[in-house]
């Protein structure tokens, strides 16, 4: 082991160095990492993707194509088909046929075997799926490799287990499948949201037509290939690509029995209106503006890491992000100082680099929206603090940003920005923290940091949000339900609760 000694630098500053002259340690660049990009050379993507209907890839009826780009390079990765309402009709018919002829006729045990197979095949393809997710959506490979893909497999494993145990899930009741499910998902967790939708639907005996977001269709199309390789009966899973109108065609199709939507509150409201009065069941998983509450007795260094993780990793593209920090006055200065120092160390850059903390913003549209909110925040009188490092020249990148002096009625506090932007407010008493936490139109997720278990119970019971994390943030498990209060949506996904929307109980 080398022992460090001290030597004087030119400006008189004392710097530690190694006694071995060949092993001089440069402490100024201690936190700079060498590049460690994941190779994407072996990734096999088609130039052009058709729709996945009835177990095969078929061209869209109008032949209209769209591009998906890599937001870190702004280069096109692949073309995909824009499905029309005629294509959706074909997909729904295929799902109906599969529902009536095969899938609903299988025993739960047989369905479970297929779902386990899908779970295992996601694991087998984990590396490629993670790389494709990062290329298509801009999220750091560390996140797609360690969170998105393993969790997607875990949700399939979990719901595979329920397929032959539905009688135990709903004791004394008979659970029957709903039929054909239309499922529409966003771009922030493409494969993971697919698993939240498809796994419980199939376990309960339904068939599906799923549309991924237009900026991130590739892992869903890769999943379609996995369904083929797994020998899943034709038509049980149909993947249709396109933009908003394609999603609307699924929602409006008269032979769909249930709609599962995850996305913005704005589109959720449109969908709820068009479903009003129809026979369709629905669940809506919408936006959020998560309060993360730090009490004076919290473990500060852990809280700082928790805050960084809750808002900056994955570019703040997280519906349950802790985008509003509420900190008790006595520790506010100390905590904000530590937070700014930690923010300064964050690495923004190539999503495929394993050292990257903050990757690319998913699309130009989202990039512009975040920048617009930065301007709004400054105009509203909040004080802006940003990481000082240069951003990459190409691609859509945003600096991690903190706004102090933010007021409760400010738009940056009330509206979902969906980017690496944290607002900070202070409070004096637990009641003031609860009032501030509840004072937005959303209620998806929140965090509480304190040394006192009693405070966790007292405060969490008064916070109107579907999830309350205590002394941690953004932790997921397939057995645990997830969903929102107020404008964050209706219905739950995950756990036993996630099966309810996919069954009719007799
Ligand atoms: P979005 O714009 O609402 O889009 C979601 C999906 O709906 C996309 O596939 C989109 O297609 C499609 N769509 C657009 N207009 C439609 C219409 N009129 N009818 C039917 N479908 C339509 O949301 P996003 O920007 O992709 O995702 C970010 C939002 O998702 C955030 O608000 C976030 O909070 C929320 N989210 C919530 C949860 C949760 O569990 N609560 C989880 C993840 C994300 P295009 O992509 O082609 O526009
Ligand atoms: Mg893309």
């Amino acid at each position: 082991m080398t022992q460090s000694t001290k030597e004087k630098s030119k400006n008189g500053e004392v710097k530690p160095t190694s006694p071995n002259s060949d092993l001089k340690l440069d402490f100024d660049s201690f936190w700079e990492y060498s590049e460690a990009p994941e190779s994407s050379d072996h990734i096999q993507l088609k130039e052009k993707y058709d729709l996945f209907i009835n177990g095969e890839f078929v061209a869209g009826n109008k032949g209209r194509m769209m591009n998906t780009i890599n937001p870190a390079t702004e280069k096109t990765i692949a073309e995909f088909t824009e499905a029309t309402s005629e294509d959706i009709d074909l997909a729904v018919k295929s799902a109906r046929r599969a529902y009536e002829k095969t899938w609903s006729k299988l025993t739960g045990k047989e369905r479970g075997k297929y779902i386990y197979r899908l779970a295992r095949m996601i694991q087998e393809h984990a590396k490629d799926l993670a790389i494709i997710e990062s290329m298509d959506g801009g999220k750091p490979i560390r996140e797609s490799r360690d969170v998105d893909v393993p969790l997607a497999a875990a949700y399939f494993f979990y719901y595979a287990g329920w397929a032959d145990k539905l009688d135990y899930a709903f004791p004394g009741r008979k659970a029957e499948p709903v039929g054909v499910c239309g499922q529409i998902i966003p771009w922030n967790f493409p494969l993971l949201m697919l698993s939240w939708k498809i796994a419980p639907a199939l376990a309960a005996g339904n068939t599906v037509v799923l549309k991924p977001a237009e900026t991130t269709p590739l892992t869903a199309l890769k999943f379609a290939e996995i369904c083929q390789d797994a020998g899943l009966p034709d038509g049980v899973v149909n993947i249709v690509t396109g933009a908003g109108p394609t999603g609307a065609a699924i929602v409006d199709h008269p032979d769909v029995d249930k709609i599962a939507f995850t996305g913005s509150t704005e589109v959720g409201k449109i969908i709820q209106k068009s479903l009003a009065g129809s026979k369709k069941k629905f669940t809506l998983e919408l936006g959020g503006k998560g309060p993360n509450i730090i009490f004076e007795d919290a473990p500060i260094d852990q809280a700082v890491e928790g805050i960084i993780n809750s808002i900056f990793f994955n570019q703040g593209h997280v519906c349950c992000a802790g985008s509003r920090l509420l900190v008790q006055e006595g520790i506010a200065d100390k905590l904000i100082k530590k937070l700014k120092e930690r923010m300064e160390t964050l690495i923004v850059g190539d999503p495929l680099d394993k050292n990257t903390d903050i990757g690319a913003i998913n699309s130009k549209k989202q990039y512009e929206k975040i920048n617009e909110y930065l301007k709004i925040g400054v105009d509203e009188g909040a004080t802006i603090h940003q990481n000082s490092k240069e951003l990459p020249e190409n691609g859509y990148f945003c600096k991690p940003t903190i706004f102090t002096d933010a007021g409760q009625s400010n738009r940056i506090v009330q509206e979902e920005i969906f980017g690496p932007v944290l607002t900070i407010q202070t409070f004096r008493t637990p009641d003031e923290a609860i009032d501030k936490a509840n004072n937005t139109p959303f209620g998806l997720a929140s965090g509480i940091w304190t040394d006192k278990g009693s405070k966790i119970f007292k405060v969490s019971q008064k916070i109107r949000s579907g999830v309350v994390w205590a002394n941690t943030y953004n932790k997921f498990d397939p057995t645990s339900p997830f969903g929102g209060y107020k404008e964050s949506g209706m219905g739950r996904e995950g756990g036993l609760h996630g099966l309810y929307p996919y069954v009719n109980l007799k």
Side-chain angles (χ1 to χ4, degrees), residues 67-71 75 77 80 132-138 187 213-218 362-363:
N67 288 340
T68 184
I69 63 152
N70 178 338
K75 295 209 172 97
I77 318 177
F80 63 93
I132 295 168
E133 202 75 301
S134 286
M135 287 168 66
D136 202 14
W187 44 258
E214 68 189 85
T215 55
T216 53
L218 294 180
N362 182 266
S363 65

Side-chain angles (χ1 to χ4, degrees), residues 431-480:
D431 282 344
E432 189 187 347
I434 293 163
D435 281 350
K436 285 185 166 160
N438 287 337
N439 187 354
T440 74
F442 300 104
L444 191 57
S446 53
I448 300 175
W449 296 78
T450 169
D451 201 23
K452 301 262 180 310
S454 54
K455 209 181 281 174
I456 291 170
F457 284 115
K458 192 173 162 210
V459 175
S460 63
Q461 280 170 16
K462 292 191 176 160
I463 293 199
R464 307 248 311 139
S465 74
V467 180
V468 185
W469 283 293
N471 293 326
T472 186
Y473 210 97
N474 274 347
K475 290 281 180 288
F476 284 91
D477 188 281
T479 62
S480 174

Side-chain angles (χ1 to χ4, degrees), residues 407-424:
Q408 188 69 37
S409 61
N410 286 173
R411 286 183 62 191
I412 53 166
V413 170
Q414 290 291 325
E415 298 172 15
E416 186 183 46
I417 301 174
F418 224 55
V421 183
L422 177 71
T423 61
I424 305 186

Side-chain angles (χ1 to χ4, degrees), residues 228-305:
Q228 277 185 323
D229 293 348
L232 191 71
D234 295 344
V236 172
V237 167
N238 302 273
I239 306 285
V240 291
T241 47
T246 305
I250 298 175
V251 172
D252 294 339
H253 196 289
D255 200 31
V256 168
D257 300 296
K258 180 215 154 42
I259 292 292
F261 171 78
T262 298
S264 61
T265 297
E266 190 190 346
V267 174
K269 285 180 182 175
I270 297 172
I271 291 179
Q272 197 173 0
K273 269 189 204 143
S274 41
L275 291 177
S278 79
K279 60 160 193 178
K280 293 170 197 163
K281 279 168 95 97
F282 64 91
T283 41
L284 304 172
E285 300 284 351
L286 310 176
K289 192 73 185 173
N292 203 3
I293 306 172
I294 322 290
F295 286 99
E296 278 168 359
D297 55 8
I300 286 213
D301 292 322
Q302 269 169 266
V304 167
E305 277 314 300

